[in-house]
Amino acid sequence: LDRLNNLIRESNGTSGNLAQALNTMKNELQAYQSNRKDIVAANEKLVPLAAKFVESTVTAEEHFDEGAKSAQSAATTLALIIVFAALAIGAGVAFVIAKAISRPLAEITRVANDVAVGDVQHDIHIQQKDEIGVLANSFRDLIDYMKNLAGAATQIAANNLTVQVEPKSDKDALG
């Protein structure tokens, strides 16, 4: 800028156009220097703000990562709770179903074993409408038939030979 001022003083006597051009150049250079100072000052203010922005972005990312990890952990825990609850419910339902099947079958088995050795004085107290109920009804019919045969055998043993045994079907061995 000092050099430009010297050129302007030296050219004052020569040509007006040159002095005017140099003055314009001087004014532009002064404006540039002033703008440069403003830019440097703004840059000095902007750099710490940018650093804070970067730091807050990193901090936000870390918090986001922590939040994502926390959400993932909560989802995993919830999934495990649901799986174990389903397993517990499944085990409970299986236990109830097993008991509902095994108790009536145990009663029918006990009665069948007693009937097999000649004890026909049993009643089956199962009133289900499923396959086990059908089996219980078949055993009731068998016990009634065995009772009728035992009654007929008792009458024949008492010399009552007029006893009539009605066959249950065409395939009945007594008929």
Side-chain angles (χ1 to χ4, degrees):
L1 191 60
D2 290 336
R3 194 172 197 200
L4 192 57
N5 282 330
N6 288 337
L7 284 173
I8 292 171
R9 271 187 238 118
E10 289 173 7
S11 65
N12 264 346
T14 56
S15 167
N17 287 338
L18 179 64
Q20 188 178 10
L22 288 174
N23 270 331
T24 303
M25 195 183 230
K26 175 184 168 189
N27 291 338
E28 287 178 3
L29 184 61
Q30 285 174 340
Y32 168 77
Q33 285 179 339
S34 173
N35 287 339
R36 185 173 181 270
K37 288 178 185 174
D38 291 344
I39 290 172
V40 168
N43 191 30
E44 288 173 357
K45 291 178 183 177
L46 192 61
V47 167
L49 289 175
K52 285 183 182 178
F53 175 74
V54 168
E55 182 181 320
S56 67
T57 302
V58 169
T59 303
E61 183 179 331
E62 289 170 355
H63 288 300
F64 178 76
D65 286 345
E66 289 173 11
K69 287 177 184 176
S70 175
Q72 181 182 12
S73 175
T76 302
T77 301
L78 180 62
L80 287 173
I81 289 171
I82 290 171
V83 165
F84 286 126
L87 286 174
I89 290 170
V93 168
F95 180 77
V96 168
I97 290 172
K99 284 293 185 183
I101 293 171
S102 66
R103 282 186 181 153
L105 286 178
E107 181 180 346
I108 291 171
T109 302
R110 181 184 52 79
V111 170
N113 288 333
D114 289 347
V115 169
V117 295
D119 183 6
V120 292
Q121 299 304 318
H122 287 282
D123 290 322
I124 296 177
H125 304 288
I126 299 170
Q127 301 297 324
Q128 293 177 219
K129 303 229 186 259
D130 57 4
E131 292 82 1
I132 295 174
V134 170
L135 180 63
N137 287 336
S138 296
F139 267 94
R140 276 190 211 96
D141 293 344
L142 176 65
I143 291 170
D144 288 343
Y145 183 60
M146 296 295 286
K147 284 180 182 178
N148 287 336
L149 291 178
T154 302
Q155 292 292 324
I156 291 171
N159 284 330
N160 181 3
L161 300 177
T162 61
V163 176
Q164 293 285 325
V165 177
E166 293 184 32
K168 291 286 189 178
S169 71
D170 294 338
K171 296 180 182 181
D172 193 335
L174 296 177

